[in-house]
Each structure stands twice: as structure tokens, then as C-alpha cells.
Amino acid sequence: MTWLITGGAGYIGAHVARAMADAGERVVALDDLSAGNPARLPADVPLVNGSSLDGDLLKRVFAEHGVTGVVHLAARKQVAESVARPTYYYRENVGGLATLLDAVADAGIERFVFSSSAAVYGDPGVDLITEDTPCAPVNPYGETKLTGEWLVRAVGAAHGIDTVCLRYFNVAGAAAPELADTGVFNIVPMVFDRLTRDEAPRIFGDDYPTPDGTCIRDYIHVADLAEAHLAAARRLSDGGASGDLTVNIGRGEGVSVRELVTVIGEVTGDRRPAVVEGRRPGDAPRAVASAERAVVELGWTARRGVREMVGSAWQGWRLHHAG
């Protein structure tokens, strides 16, 4: 088996590439480097600079590297940007996936892992979100991920491709400081950024119907997420997943925004109180995964907790923002 990882030089993609390579899988990365960093990749993982929108390039990569399976992570993923630029998100996320799947089918590749998102669920209003919870995304980003799942399953059924769709919940942490998330779009680096600029953390809304009034989320360590991809790839390699499989990737435990900010304060030593601002549109009060199917179907369960996520992310933040 040789696995192509699209978006392989990105924050999540590099973790997946390292986890799979360390486990003895042959891996090649494809990344347009708009957000990726080649330095994140192990020296023995080839990197192809390019886009999943480039069908001719994909055909060459498949042939030159003998690709027999694909892990597709490349995507645009900022919710606010997707609201402002919906056609761009559909073109990149859905169009890029369609081009990739055409090339996969033409090459006779029979294994495909798709990076999806809990954003497909929207605001379901349930304590635990199972894979059978109805999907009703509330922004274009979530719509592109749900459309992507439909497309993956349809192409898989039409061409005999076995597929796994992994619905990520909130990703944080770093397996090593050099692999840390350098963007300031997710809550943990957003708080770090505020503290680094000597500003108080922000909480968007404290009047939700939750115990402390702030939103509750399921946070997953990126190293656990990478191991979930390895488990999915190996299930496909072993012939254990025929047809399609959809799996939540989370811990099954809810943490409120205020609780998370408290942990960040304890880890960083900066315990200044957060400033409460107005709600952001589209934020669901609660989004916590049921993680049972991942255990049954993939033999995988998250092993790392929130404090480890924050501590590892903080080490990475200090490395990338020294001085």
C-alpha cells in the first residue's frame, strides 16, 4: 500500500503523515502550501507541491508513486470565510474533491478516507451526537463537507471504492512543538494570541442554556485524530470496511468554553479573567460526540485529555512565537 495524503503539509495532515509513516505505511504528501509547511513532514515522506483541483497532476502522482489509497484532508476550513465566500468554498472543497475522485476512479484506486467535520450536524440539540443524528449544517463550510460525504459515497458505490468518512470534532494540541497549529482561527490559539498581546481572553456569549452559560464542545487531541486516520486506513487495507463507513472522531466528553479558558490560564500561568462579548452567529450551545462507533468499527479511542492538548499546544505556540 502507498497512501497519498492531500493537505499533507498542513497542521492535521502532517500529523497524519507522521503517524502513518511511523507505523510503517508508505506515504506521499500533496499540498499547495497555501497553509502547509514542508518542514512539518518527515524527511522520508515525498512532498508534491500542487492542488487536488489539478487532475493531470493527480494522475502523474498516482502513477509515479504507485498510489493505492487516498486520505483526503486538503480543504478550506474557516467558517466565517465560507459565509463571506461561499462559491470559493464550494469550488475548492467540492470541486477539488470531485476532481480527485475522478482521478481515483480512473486509476482504479479502491480505498479512500475523507476528512469530514462535525459541522455537518449544525445545531442538532442533543446531548450526544451519533452518526445517525440528522445533518443540517448552518454554514457553507459545513455544507461543503456534507456534500463531500455524499459525493464520496456515490463515487464509491459507482466504482467499487471502499470509503471511510471521519467527522472531526474540535481539534487541538500538537504531537511535537514543531507541528503545532500556527493559525489563529481555533479557540486555543486564539486565547494564546490574546495573552501574548497582553489582552484578556474573549468568550463569545455566556447566556447559553448550559451549566455555566458558555458553549460546550468536544475537544480531540490532534495526535489521537492522526491515529484514527491510521486505524481507518488499516481497516481499508485489511478489507475490513466494504462499501462506506462514517465515524465520529471525538472523546465523547463536553468541555465548556469557560472551563477551557480556565485550563489555558492554569497551563500558561496567565489567569486573567475573560472578557465576555456577544454571541457569534451559528454557534450551537452544545456539540459533543458519541464516540462508540469508532471503538467498534476502528478499534480506536482517544487517549489524551484537555490539559495535555493545551500543554502541547502551548509548547508549540512558544516555539513559533519566540520573542
Side-chain angles (χ1 to χ4, degrees):
M1 290 291 300
T2 297
W3 290 91
L4 175 70
I5 302 177
T6 71
Y11 165 53
I12 296 174
H15 278 90
V16 174
R18 284 203 180 193
M20 293 183 68
D22 287 348
E25 300 289 341
R26 290 196 299 271
V27 171
V28 57
L30 174 75
D31 202 296
D32 68 4
L33 301 182
S34 59
N37 180 356
R40 288 184 170 128
L41 287 166
D44 58 350
V45 172
L47 171 63
V48 178
N49 185 356
S51 168
S52 56
L53 285 159
D54 187 341
D56 291 336
L57 174 63
L58 293 170
K59 292 175 184 178
R60 291 197 302 272
V61 172
F62 291 164
E64 290 172 7
H65 294 274
V67 172
T68 51
V70 173
V71 179
H72 181 49
L73 295 103
R76 306 302 168 187
K77 63 177 186 175
Q78 303 308 323
V79 169
E81 184 183 44
S82 80
V83 173
R85 304 180 67 190
T87 57
Y88 173 66
Y89 266 65
Y90 271 85
R91 181 170 60 251
E92 291 284 319
N93 291 1
V94 180
L97 175 59
T99 301
L100 176 61
L101 286 169
D102 275 341
V104 165
D106 288 345
I109 294 169
E110 297 178 344
R111 301 166 186 87
F112 195 93
V113 180
F114 177 58
S115 163
S116 189
S117 168
V120 301
Y121 295 114
D123 181 7
V126 296
D127 285 342
L128 285 178
I129 298 172
T130 74
E131 291 83 355
D132 298 319
T133 298
C135 293
V138 296
N139 53 64
Y141 167 68
E143 292 167 5
T144 65
K145 285 299 185 181
L146 183 56
T147 304
E149 289 190 11
W150 294 340
L151 187 55
V152 165
R153 295 187 194 108
V155 174
H159 295 278
I161 303 167
D162 294 329
T163 64
V164 178
C165 295
L166 301 179
R167 292 174 174 170
Y168 310 171
F169 280 67
N170 294 65
V171 185
E178 64 271 18
L179 297 182
D181 188 0
T182 56
V184 188
F185 304 106
N186 299 318
I187 183 169
V188 173
M190 285 173 66
V191 174
F192 290 165
D193 181 57
R194 297 278 294 185
L195 297 179
T196 301
R197 291 188 285 113
D198 198 29
E199 297 175 2
R202 290 186 295 180
I203 291 176
F204 296 100
D206 65 351
D207 57 349
Y208 287 94
T210 61
D212 67 13
T214 66
C215 293
I216 293 174
R217 295 290 182 266
D218 190 334
Y219 295 94
I220 177 78
H221 197 296
V222 67
D224 284 326
L225 177 62
E227 290 167 5
H229 284 78
L230 173 63
R234 287 200 159 161
R235 169 157 176 171
L236 290 175
S237 299
D238 295 341
S242 59
D244 67 89
L245 176 65
T246 301
V247 185
N248 286 339
I249 303 298
R251 293 189 309 127
E253 299 178 14
V255 177
S256 77
V257 172
R258 191 174 293 281
E259 289 170 336
L260 182 65
V261 170
T262 297
V263 172
I264 292 172
E266 292 168 355
V267 168
T268 63
D270 190 331
R271 294 178 171 84
R272 73 184 77 192
V275 174
V276 177
E277 299 186 5
R279 293 186 183 189
R280 296 182 302 186
D283 275 347
R286 178 182 175 89
V288 180
S290 168
E292 294 178 4
R293 185 178 291 182
V295 177
V296 173
E297 298 289 352
L298 301 179
W300 171 91
T301 187
R303 298 185 291 115
R304 300 162 179 89
V306 169
R307 188 171 295 274
E308 187 172 351
M309 293 179 217
V310 172
S312 62
W314 180 236
Q315 288 182 331
W317 180 269
R318 288 188 296 176
L319 173 67
H320 291 291
H321 296 82

